[in-house]
Amino acid sequence: MHKSMDCAVVVIGGGASGLCAAIAAAEAGAGPVVLLEKSEALGGKGGSAQGMYALGSRLQRQEGVCCDPEYEFRDIMHMTSYLCDGVLLRQFLAESGRTVDWLLDHGIGIELTDRVQQLSHGASGRVYHRWNRVKDRFQTLRRSAERAGVRILMGADASELLTEGRRVTGVRARIGEDVLTLRAGAVILGSGGFAGNMEMLRENLADVLQEPPLFFPTRSTGEGVRMAWSVGAGKASERAVLAHGVAPAYPQFSMHKTQTSTALMNIPILWVNDRAERFCSEEIIYDSQFFSNACMAQGGVAYATVDRRTVEQFMHAIPYEMQFWDIYGMDGGYFPAPIADFDREIRQLIRDGVAVEAKDAGDLAAQMGWDPETLRDTLLRYNHWTEVGRDEDFYKSPKYLRYPVREGPLYLLKGKVMIMGTLGGVRIDRRFRALRPDRSPIEGLYAAGGDAGGIYHGYSYLSKEGFALGWALTSGRLAGANAAAFLCSTDNCRAK
């Protein structure tokens, strides 16, 4: 059955950016706002995030925290070799704290902390704002949206943007067996990118990933960016991904199933690429973005390598200075914990095809199809650096330069880069309007969150704790406000 509806604003996607966009547009008086969410739950990738990056929030002011936007701006621009859109970044840094205040005013529980509770990055100062009521945050936003008059349609899969000339005038969506045509003054894309679309991932990451990556389960399959491109939007940041560490290379995504893989893949022991070469200072494993990038540079696959002597040490205790608890002050206890059940777990990992046991280096090379001389040279050099306490290959800190790989049996665990989401696709301006390749705006079309490009460059996320969620929430709020301002301007007023 075909149905139609008139409204002021349609928001595609009910994740962090989409919910904020819908609320902000409605509260700014845009008129009837409709939010389309194709799944049966709100939150999207924001549901897995623990907190957001922000500067100048009410919480920071109350605690006398001095934020330095100049430092943050310069640091991020240096991280991206000045290929980040400085206009978007400056605006984000100025508005991120206001987003925290706005969320607090909407009943979202947030606390300012200098501690993280996941394997991630250290914060640059006290800029990390963590959820303190994790389970109800999106239900709270949903209630705010409904109070503001937003109509939320669940199970609504948007498929096509409607246009008149060079202007976007609505969207077509499917809800069950019904086709719904929504005529609107503005459409905001907040569908979360395309991490759930393996074809698009392969197309954009084929030159850095030799095997399909692991990715968190997501319903974000790229409909937002594809629809924008189909009406002439330019591309930006379409290769940027939120790579978040390395996990066992199971055929389908799975977090660590054993304490053995949890420990060995989160401690700076010896790591090698698929040519048996060491490729980085393994201490960067404590920053998920850095280590993911290092592994992506090797094709997205890497191998943790350890001998029996080290395993027996880890079966009893893992040194305190090797733990995220000590380094980042993680909540929840000691991580990783000792691997007391190693022998049973390694058998399971071998059966699963993600681990190898070898009697010596020659056997390991034979099982992996590696050049035995390359592996021998790698082990000799690494073992030498552990003996002298100085790494002249990759400059690993002496603190972590331990655990040589000498006598068998030897163990190897295959890891693959984990991708939590994509980070762009549609080129935008500071009003979050979608831009054509010539930088002219597409009237009536806006993008936010994982659909909006320009902040990131190349393949890399930023090593700033909570940055992706901060950008999603802030860009959504601003996109909604800008769409409302457009509709409520003198020449574009819409019936309310």
Side-chain angles (χ1 to χ4, degrees):
M1 181 181 296
H2 291 265
K3 300 180 179 180
S4 63
M5 182 186 304
D6 291 338
C7 58
V9 178
V10 177
V11 179
I12 299 174
S17 61
L19 272 169
C20 288
I23 296 168
E27 291 181 341
V33 176
V34 176
L35 185 149
L36 307 179
E37 169 52 48
K38 69 178 181 179
S39 74
E40 297 305 320
L42 298 174
K45 294 193 301 293
S48 62
Q50 303 293 333
M52 65 177 287
Y53 168 103
L55 303 180
S57 71
R58 180 192 310 163
L59 299 178
Q60 288 165 320
R61 295 191 301 273
Q62 290 172 348
E63 296 194 25
V65 174
C66 180
C67 298
D68 188 347
E70 179 182 352
Y71 168 80
E72 293 295 324
F73 181 85
R74 291 182 183 276
D75 192 36
I76 292 169
M77 294 302 287
H78 278 292
M79 283 182 181
T80 61
S81 298
Y82 278 78
L83 289 165
C84 171
D85 187 323
V87 175
L88 296 179
L89 178 60
R90 181 186 65 81
Q91 178 176 244
F92 168 65
L93 296 178
E95 292 288 342
S96 57
R98 297 187 183 103
T99 299
V100 172
D101 298 347
W102 183 81
L103 291 167
L104 289 168
D105 291 340
H106 283 82
I108 302 298
I110 301 173
E111 62 184 11
L112 181 64
T113 179
D114 54 6
R115 301 170 66 184
V116 303
Q117 62 180 36
Q118 57 183 334
L119 311 190
S120 194
H121 339 286
S124 51
R126 299 190 69 194
V127 298
Y128 185 50
H129 297 70
R130 191 170 66 186
W131 308 121
N132 61 18
R133 294 197 302 274
V134 174
K135 293 184 179 179
D136 68 348
R137 60 193 184 276
F138 288 108
Q139 286 305 311
T140 299
L141 283 176
R142 178 174 189 155
R143 289 191 291 271
S144 289
E146 291 171 341
R147 283 196 298 270
V150 177
R151 183 173 180 182
I152 299 174
L153 301 180
M154 305 299 291
D157 194 357
S159 59
E160 179 187 0
L161 292 175
L162 308 179
T163 60
E164 293 180 7
R166 290 166 62 85
R167 173 192 172 92
V168 170
T169 58
V171 64
R172 186 164 287 118
R174 180 175 292 277
I175 304 178
E177 298 299 317
D178 296 332
V179 175
L180 177 63
T181 297
L182 295 107
R183 295 179 291 270
V187 175
I188 303 174
L189 304 175
S191 62
F194 53 89
N197 187 320
M198 186 57 69
E199 181 180 346
M200 292 182 72
L201 284 175
R202 286 195 184 104
E203 178 182 347
N204 286 284
L205 302 175
D207 53 346
V208 293
L209 295 178
Q210 66 190 43
E211 298 182 14
L214 301 173
F215 57 89
F216 279 61
T218 175
R219 294 290 301 276
S220 297
T221 54
E223 60 274 9
V225 295
R226 291 200 310 270
M227 286 189 290
W229 293 342
S230 74
V231 299
K235 295 182 178 182
S237 308
E238 70 275 14
R239 293 188 173 189
V241 293
L242 205 173
H244 207 275
V246 174
Y250 295 108
Q252 300 294 327
F253 171 79
S254 174
M255 289 299 286
H256 297 281
K257 296 180 180 179
T258 68
Q259 187 58 39
T260 293
S261 63
T262 300
L264 297 184
M265 288 190 161
N266 289 289
I267 294 175
I269 57 177
L270 173 65
W271 281 77
V272 298
N273 61 21
D274 66 349
R275 297 173 301 282
E277 301 163 326
R278 190 169 171 235
F279 58 91
C280 70
S281 167
E282 294 87 353
E283 67 188 281
I284 64 170
I285 203 166
Y286 291 123
D287 188 299
S288 61
Q289 184 243 337
F290 288 164
F291 193 60
S292 298
N293 285 357
C295 292
M296 285 178 69
Q298 304 302 316
V301 175
Y303 302 86
T305 311
V306 68
D307 65 11
R308 182 70 188 189
R309 181 176 180 180
T310 296
V311 164
E312 288 179 352
Q313 294 180 56
F314 290 165
M315 290 171 71
H316 298 288
I318 292 174
Y320 187 69
E321 67 272 14
M322 292 284 189
Q323 304 206 7
F324 281 86
W325 176 271
D326 181 45
I327 296 168
Y328 289 147
M330 282 182 57
D331 289 345
Y334 293 98
F335 183 89
I339 48 177
D341 204 13
F342 174 84
D343 290 312
R344 182 187 64 81
E345 292 181 347
I346 198 66
R347 298 274 81 76
Q348 183 61 54
L349 291 163
I350 292 169
R351 286 193 294 271
D352 290 341
V354 297
V356 169
E357 179 180 13
K359 62 183 180 181
D360 54 30
D363 183 28
L364 180 59
Q367 291 192 55
M368 297 301 298
W370 290 342
D371 175 50
E373 291 302 314
T374 300
L375 179 58
R376 176 179 175 276
D377 181 66
T378 295
L379 297 182
L380 285 174
R381 292 184 68 84
Y382 183 72
N383 292 341
H384 174 67
W385 303 140
T386 64
E387 289 175 2
V388 301
R390 184 179 67 257
D391 179 5
E392 295 183 8
D393 284 338
F394 297 99
Y395 314 106
K396 189 174 182 176
S397 299
K399 177 179 180 179
Y400 303 115
L401 193 59
R402 56 177 80 176
Y403 307 121
V405 181
R406 298 190 187 280
E407 297 181 2
L410 308 181
Y411 304 96
L412 179 144
L413 274 73
K414 181 181 180 180
K416 294 174 70 172
V417 169
M418 294 189 297
I419 293 178
M420 290 189 67
T422 55
L423 297 168
V426 181
R427 186 170 295 282
I428 60 169
D429 65 8
R430 65 183 180 84
R431 295 190 181 99
F432 296 88
R433 299 178 297 183
L435 300 180
R436 298 181 179 88
D438 65 3
R439 304 300 178 108
S440 64
I442 298 176
E443 188 174 338
L445 184 61
Y446 298 77
D451 289 342
I455 285 288
Y456 303 95
H457 175 72
Y459 302 101
S460 183
Y461 178 52
L462 296 174
S463 185
K464 296 281 183 179
E465 180 66 18
F467 194 91
L469 183 62
W471 168 251
L473 295 164
T474 300
S475 63
R477 178 177 68 84
L478 295 177
N482 277 287
F486 165 68
L487 293 175
C488 295
S489 65
T490 303
D491 297 328
N492 299 288
C493 187
R494 292 290 181 273
K496 300 181 181 177

